Amino acid sequence: QAVESGGGLVQAGGSLRLSCLASGMIFAINDMAWYRQTPGKQRELVAEITSGHSTNYADSVKGRFTISRDNAKNTVDLQMLSLSSEDTAVYYCNLSPPVDGYWGQGTQVTVSS
């Protein structure tokens, strides 16, 4: 299961770095991703990183968010810059595509305007 951390309350224009510790699988061979969800909306893909370190981003975060991974530590991070209120959500990491039984508790990111 994934364990996410690093969320919090930040002012608009600020930054946060989220971290995910993945366990229970051979991390290095799996594509990983960060997702987010706000109340009443479906969970959406934010960014993904392949086992070969290729990356892909949702249009809404391109140029502001950076996903990275450390295969030695089984972690995948999400650096978020220039945050806006529209980024407020619970952020989750999972495989890409996601596996139902692998969702963690997520980490709340709240951006105040």
Side-chain angles (χ1 to χ4, degrees), residues 17-76:
R17 187 177 183 91
L18 307 183
S19 187
C20 169
L21 177 62
S23 62
M25 60 166 164
I26 304 174
F27 179 78
I29 65 172
N30 282 289
D31 298 344
M32 299 295 297
W34 280 94
Y35 305 82
R36 65 186 181 188
Q37 188 171 25
T38 54
K41 293 187 178 181
Q42 284 193 330
R43 202 168 292 175
E44 64 173 352
L45 175 70
V46 175
E48 59 187 343
I49 184 165
T50 70
S51 58
H53 294 252
S54 295
T55 58
N56 182 48
Y57 298 92
D59 287 343
S60 59
V61 307
K62 278 181 182 176
R64 300 188 298 120
F65 290 13
T66 302
I67 189 171
S68 60
R69 66 189 295 163
D70 185 335
N71 289 341
K73 298 180 180 179
N74 279 22
T75 58
V76 55

Side-chain angles (χ1 to χ4, degrees), residues 7-8 10-16 18 35-39 41 44-46 58-65 78-92 107-113:
V10 63
Q11 289 188 335
S15 62
L16 281 174
L18 307 183
Y35 305 82
R36 65 186 181 188
Q37 188 171 25
T38 54
K41 293 187 178 181
E44 64 173 352
L45 175 70
V46 175
D59 287 343
S60 59
V61 307
K62 278 181 182 176
R64 300 188 298 120
F65 290 13
L78 187 68
Q79 178 68 54
M80 305 186 296
L81 305 177
S82 301
L83 287 162
S84 73
S85 58
E86 294 184 352
D87 297 314
T88 294
V90 179
Y91 285 72
Y92 303 86
T107 187
Q108 175 71 49
V109 172
T110 303
V111 184
S112 62
S113 56

